[in-house]
């Protein structure tokens, strides 16, 4: 069972960036806007059941740790509030390195 919304960007799941993971519950890709790993639930809604939530956090953790030594989950949905997704943002020393790279160029 899946509920999707034809005008929702996350339901469209356009492969514009690097994809890290996909399964029946979610997909993980780099966020086009933030350039950090992002996990997206495959259902259009904001209330995943606890088992899905645990699974998605684990998948995000895997992608985030491949990229950053230190990271934190960010579940604030700024751009698409009605579809559950979360970002894995760099934390601590990794955040400093990430911002430096972003502003200084590669
Ligand atoms: Zn983002
Ligand atoms: Zn959606």
């Amino acid at each position: 069972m899946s509920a999707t919304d034809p005008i929702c960007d996350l339901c469209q799941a356009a492969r514009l960036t690097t994809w890290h993971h996909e399964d029946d519950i979610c997909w993980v890709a780099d966020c086009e806007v933030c350039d950090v790993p992002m996990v997206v639930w495959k259902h259009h809604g904001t209330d995943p059941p606890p088992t899905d939530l645990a699974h998605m956090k684990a998948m995000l953790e895997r992608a985030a740790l491949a990229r950053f030594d230190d990271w934190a989950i960010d579940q604030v949905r700024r751009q698409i509030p009605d579809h559950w997704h979360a970002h894995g943002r760099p934390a601590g020393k990794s955040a400093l390195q990430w911002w430096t790279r972003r502003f200084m160029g590669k």
Side-chain angles (χ1 to χ4, degrees):
M1 193 196 80
S2 88
T4 55
D5 181 329
I7 59 154
C8 171
D9 280 350
L10 294 178
C11 289
Q12 296 303 306
R15 293 179 180 245
L16 301 171
T17 58
T18 308
W19 276 53
H20 302 290
H21 173 81
E22 183 176 16
D23 59 36
D24 292 344
I25 297 170
C26 66
W27 49 272
V28 181
D30 285 340
C31 172
E32 199 194 344
V33 179
C34 313
D35 190 31
V36 298
M38 172 179 80
V39 62
V40 178
W41 194 29
K42 276 198 173 174
H43 298 256
H44 188 84
T46 56
D47 195 19
T51 49
D52 282 14
L53 202 58
H55 170 83
M56 291 190 286
K57 285 181 178 173
M59 293 302 113
L60 179 63
E61 177 170 43
R62 206 171 63 176
L65 285 178
R67 185 113 174 248
F68 310 120
D69 293 333
D70 199 2
W71 74 287
I73 191 166
D74 175 7
Q75 296 188 68
V76 179
R77 298 184 296 273
R78 292 176 188 85
Q79 273 135 34
I80 304 172
D82 56 354
H83 188 142
W84 193 94
H85 61 286
H87 290 74
R89 299 194 190 279
K93 214 173 174 184
S94 296
L96 197 66
Q97 287 163 353
W98 185 83
W99 282 109
T100 306
R101 250 201 324 268
R102 216 175 147 126
F103 285 117
M104 312 295 274
K106 301 237 165 169

